[in-house]
C-alpha cells in the first residue's frame, strides 16, 4: 500500500526545460515512477530529439514539444496539442529558467526583465493554461522549481533572486486559490548540484568548490538524481495534503549559518 502512494503509472507529467540538467533528472524520476513524460524545450528541435534518445535509453516513455514558455499563445496551443496527442496533464513541473550573473548596478533593465519573464512569469503562463483542465478534473499536481535564492541573496544574481523569491510566493498563492479543487501546488528548491555546467569548478582547490563543500553540512555537491525523490513525492498521491510548501534539496545549507574557519 505504501509503495502505491508513489506510483505514477497512468499519469502524464509535463516538465518544462527538461532537455538536460536538473529538469531532465526530475523528469527521469517521474518516468521511473511510471509517468508518461512530456518534455519541453525552445532552443532547438535537435536538442529535444537528442534528449528523447536519452530518455529512451533509460527505458522511459517520453514525448517532446518545442515551444516558448514566455509566449502565452504558443503555450496555449501546445497544451491543447499535448492533451490531445498524449493525454490530460496530471503533473506540471515548471522548471525552465535562466540566470544572468551581473551586478545590479550594471544590469540593463532589459536583462532584469528577461530573467523575471522566464523565471517568474512563465510558470504563471504555463500553470494558467494547464490548471483549467486540472480544475475540471478535480485533480492535479503543480511543482514550481524554486531555488535557495528564494530565501537568500547572493552577489550578482539579484534578478534571479527576485524571480525565485517571487516564485515561492506565487507557489503559495496558487496553493491558496487551487487547493479547493484538489490541486496541490508546491516547490522544490535545489542546492548546488554536480552537473556538466558546474564541472569546471568542481575540482579540489577551486575557491568556489571549496566554499560549497565547506558550506554544505553534507560536505558535497548534490547529484542530480537526488532530486528524483522530491519530484516523485510532490507528483504523487503521497503529497495529497501538502500544499504551498517548498522542499529544499540542498544538503542542509539553509539549515545552518555555517562554521567558523577554525572549526573542523
Amino acid at each position: 500500500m505504501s509503495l502505491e502512494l508513489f506510483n505514477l503509472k497512468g499519469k502524464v507529467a509535463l516538465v518544462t526545460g527538461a532537455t538536460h540538467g536538473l529538469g531532465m533528472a526530475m523528469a527521469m524520476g517521474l518516468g521511473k515512477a511510471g509517468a508518461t513524460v512530456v518534455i519541453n524545450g525552445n532552443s532547438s528541435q535537435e536538442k529535444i530529439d537528442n534528449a528523447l534518445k536519452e530518455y529512451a535509453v533509460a527505458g522511459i516513455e517520453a514525448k517532446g514539444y518545442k515551444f516558448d514558455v514566455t509566449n502565452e499563445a504558443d503555450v496555449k496551443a501546445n497544451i491543447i496539442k499535448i492533451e490531445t496527442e498524449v493525454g490530460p496533464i496530471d503533473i506540471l513541473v515548471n522548471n525552465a529558467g535562466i540566470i544572468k550573473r551581473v551586478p545590479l548596478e550594471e544590469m540593463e533593465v532589459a536583462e532584469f526583465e528577461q530573467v523575471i519573464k522566464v523565471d517568474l512569469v512563465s510558470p504563471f503562463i504555463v500553470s494558467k493554461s494547464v490548471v483549467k483542465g486540472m480544475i475540471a478534473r478535480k485533480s492535479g499536481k503543480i511543482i514550481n522549481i524554486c531555488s535557495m535564492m528564494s530565501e537568500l541573496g547572493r552577489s550578482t544574481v539579484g534578478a534571479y533572486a527576485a524571480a525565485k523569491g517571487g516564485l515561492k510566493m506565487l507557489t503559495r498563492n496558487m496553493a491558496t486559490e487551487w487547493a479547493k479543487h484538489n490541486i496541490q501546488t508546491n516547490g522544490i528548491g535545489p542546492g548546488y548540484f554536480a552537473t556538466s555546467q558546474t564541472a569546471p569548478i568542481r575540482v579540489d582547490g577551486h575557491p568556489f568548490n571549496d566554499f560549497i563543500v565547506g558550506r554544505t553540512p553534507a560536505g558535497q555537491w548534490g547529484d542530480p538524481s537526488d532530486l528524483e525523490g522530491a519530484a516523485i513525492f510532490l507528483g504523487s498521491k503521497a503529497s495529497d495534503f501538502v500544499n504551498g510548501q517548498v522542499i529544499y534539496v540542498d544538503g542542509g545549507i539553509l539549515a545552518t549559518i555555517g562554521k567558523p574557519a577554525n572549526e573542523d
Side-chain angles (χ1 to χ4, degrees):
M1 177 62 74
S2 60
L3 290 178
E4 279 302 306
L5 289 174
F6 300 92
N7 188 349
L8 300 180
K9 188 173 179 59
K11 302 294 185 180
V12 174
L14 169 60
V15 185
T16 66
T19 58
H20 65 286
L22 302 187
M24 175 176 279
M26 288 181 281
M28 287 279 191
L30 296 173
K32 290 174 187 176
T36 297
V37 175
V38 179
I39 65 167
N40 148 267
N42 192 46
S43 58
S44 72
Q45 186 61 48
E46 181 183 12
K47 194 169 183 179
I48 292 174
D49 292 340
N50 289 337
L52 291 176
K53 292 176 184 176
E54 292 191 49
Y55 286 100
V57 168
I60 292 169
E61 182 182 358
K63 311 290 183 183
Y65 289 80
K66 182 180 180 297
F67 59 92
D68 180 358
V69 292
T70 68
N71 183 314
E72 186 173 17
D74 201 11
V75 169
K76 283 182 176 179
N78 278 275
I79 295 305
I80 292 172
K81 191 175 181 183
I82 291 167
E83 296 206 319
T84 300
E85 296 177 352
V86 184
I89 296 168
D90 302 290
I91 304 162
L92 168 63
V93 182
N94 286 308
N95 169 74
I98 61 171
I99 187 169
K100 290 183 179 292
R101 294 180 173 86
V102 183
L104 284 172
E105 72 274 14
E106 298 175 11
M107 191 172 219
E108 298 293 336
V109 171
E111 291 180 303
F112 189 94
E113 290 177 336
Q114 183 187 15
V115 174
I116 298 296
K117 188 172 184 179
V118 176
D119 294 356
L120 179 58
V121 179
S122 79
F124 163 70
I125 291 173
V126 181
S127 296
K128 180 183 174 185
S129 293
V130 172
V131 79
K132 292 176 182 178
M134 291 180 171
I135 290 172
R137 295 186 297 274
K138 293 290 183 181
S139 178
K141 304 280 186 176
I142 297 174
I143 305 169
N144 293 323
I145 305 309
C146 298
S147 165
M148 289 192 302
M149 300 303 105
S150 297
E151 303 289 344
L152 301 172
R154 186 173 157 227
S155 180
T156 76
V157 295
Y160 182 80
K164 292 298 186 177
L167 186 56
K168 178 184 73 172
M169 295 310 301
L170 180 61
T171 299
R172 290 179 176 177
N173 220 86
M174 286 177 173
T176 299
E177 296 193 24
W178 297 336
K180 63 187 177 184
H181 301 294
N182 191 32
I183 296 165
Q184 292 78 51
T185 307
N186 294 287
I188 296 175
Y192 289 92
F193 281 80
T195 65
S196 58
Q197 291 176 310
T198 61
I201 61 175
R202 282 187 288 106
V203 293
D204 290 342
H206 191 288
F208 195 73
N209 179 74
D210 293 348
F211 167 71
I212 293 303
V213 172
R215 179 69 179 79
T216 306
Q220 63 187 40
W221 293 73
D223 186 278
S225 63
D226 292 328
L227 289 167
E228 292 182 9
I232 294 168
F233 169 63
L234 292 179
S236 70
K237 186 173 178 59
S239 62
D240 276 358
F241 203 56
V242 179
N243 239 318
Q245 304 302 309
V246 179
I247 297 177
Y248 291 98
V249 186
D250 66 354
I253 291 180
L254 288 175
T256 177
I257 196 172
K259 60 186 179 182
N262 63 348
E263 184 180 302
D264 291 333

